[in-house]
Amino acid sequence: MEPNADKLRGLCITSLDDEDDDETELPNQPLPASTVTVAAAASGYDDGDEDEEAEVMLGFLEKPKHPGLLLRHLFPSKAGGIPAWLDPVNLPTGNSSCCGFCGEPLHFVLQIYAPIESNAAAFHRTLFMFMCPSMACLHRDQHKQWTRNQGNPRRSVRVFRCQLPRTNVFYSSEPPSRNNSDKPLCAGAALCHWCGTWKGDKICGGCKKSRYCSEKHQALHWRSGHKNDCLQIINSSEASSSVLPAVGKVPARTSWPEYQIAIDDEVDLDSD
């Protein structure tokens, strides 16, 4: 990604589909919109009531007091780092996890925990946003939207929604205590050892331990040091636990800086 973030401000990536979204779709379902506004819809606001003004919620980036506060079983809202998948098993795969222009795996941008109290199926609900780090792909995406071509649109930005009922196989039905005793009920799918984002359905042919979401990430991991680590794993079973990344740990240069998103209601300010 180009270092000058100001170039992002000129982009206007919008929805290609004006149809209402069905809140009962499958977990980690891609949404038609390419941008997320955290507004009253997250709390069950009915946009059909014209007499009541939408209640807007604002998000503020903060350095996390402790990385453990951003794990998936604590239902975080966060930006950067790697996603804390709400459903850790049924992850997006195939073309849905890649840029529609260059075909490279998308980078995680942010996620917002936005449950709907009035919907039992959305007791837990998180929105995930991903984008291609290539500015060229973002500009091509913007140009394609101007053409309004409805046939098989390609996107460089994707948003997924995942929702679960209160009683599910992944988490306790009781609220987390947040005293370091909270644990998920089961492990998630094996993730890519390079990006830590997408499902690692490809396995290193040498050590049979490292997993990857794409051939590109396997090549990057190989060149960054796995070439030597792979031999260690093959020659010593004890080395496998020391040379493979720990769960939730990926090379720092593969993701953007991690922040917690603190969410608060928007307030009206007087003239002063």
Side-chain angles (χ1 to χ4, degrees):
M1 188 176 214
E2 297 184 24
N4 188 358
D6 292 340
K7 294 186 178 181
L8 284 174
R9 298 173 184 171
L11 293 172
C12 181
I13 300 177
T14 56
S15 173
L16 289 176
D17 189 350
D18 294 328
E19 296 180 358
D20 293 336
D21 188 40
D22 182 2
E23 290 295 342
T24 61
E25 295 179 6
L26 296 176
N28 295 329
Q29 179 75 22
L31 301 181
S34 287
T35 56
V36 177
T37 300
V38 184
S43 59
Y45 172 75
D46 184 3
D47 56 8
D49 187 356
E50 297 180 356
D51 296 332
E52 187 175 351
E53 186 176 354
E55 183 180 316
V56 178
M57 305 175 73
L58 303 178
F60 304 90
L61 295 183
E62 299 178 349
K63 279 290 186 181
K65 296 180 180 178
H66 188 277
L69 298 176
L70 301 181
L71 298 177
R72 63 180 175 88
H73 54 278
L74 297 180
F75 313 111
S77 293
K78 63 188 291 287
I82 59 177
W85 291 109
L86 182 61
D87 182 336
V89 175
N90 302 300
L91 307 185
T93 57
N95 293 335
S96 61
S97 64
C98 298
C99 174
F101 297 96
C102 67
E104 301 293 348
L106 296 171
H107 283 213
F108 173 67
V109 180
L110 59 83
Q111 66 185 75
I112 300 294
Y113 183 65
I116 301 178
E117 296 179 359
S118 60
N119 188 342
F123 182 87
H124 296 297
R125 177 171 173 266
T126 301
L127 306 177
F128 299 86
M129 180 178 179
F130 297 83
M131 66 179 284
C132 180
S134 168
M135 184 61 66
C137 292
L138 295 175
H139 280 298
R140 291 179 67 187
D141 193 330
Q142 184 180 27
H143 176 73
K144 287 291 185 181
Q145 291 179 69
W146 289 338
T147 63
R148 305 299 294 177
N149 183 6
Q150 298 297 324
N152 191 25
R154 292 187 292 170
R155 307 309 302 264
S156 63
V157 178
R158 293 185 186 272
V159 174
F160 299 90
R161 181 191 63 229
C162 179
Q163 56 193 44
L164 298 170
R166 179 168 186 170
T167 301
N168 59 80
V169 298
F170 303 119
Y171 309 104
S172 169
S173 59
E174 298 301 319
S177 59
R178 300 182 182 277
N179 60 1
N180 296 325
S181 64
D182 303 303
K183 300 291 182 182
L185 298 181
C186 67
L191 300 177
C192 175
H193 275 109
W194 178 254
C195 69
T197 298
W198 306 108
K199 185 176 291 188
D201 51 8
K202 296 177 174 59
I203 302 176
C204 175
C207 64
K208 310 296 183 183
K209 297 288 186 180
S210 292
R211 307 179 71 97
Y212 306 99
C213 66
S214 63
E215 293 182 0
K216 178 181 180 179
H217 285 187
Q218 181 176 9
L220 289 172
H221 194 213
W222 182 264
R223 292 197 296 265
S224 70
H226 184 65
K227 179 178 181 179
N228 295 326
D229 295 340
C230 189
L231 294 176
Q232 293 183 39
I233 297 173
I234 294 174
N235 296 329
S236 173
S237 60
E238 296 180 356
S240 60
S241 61
S242 60
V243 298
L244 286 177
V247 176
K249 300 292 185 182
V250 295
R253 60 185 177 275
T254 66
S255 60
W256 288 309
E258 187 175 53
Y259 294 93
Q260 178 180 357
I261 299 180
I263 299 176
D264 200 358
D265 294 333
E266 182 183 49
V267 296
D268 293 329
L269 300 179
D270 56 29
S271 59
D272 293 337

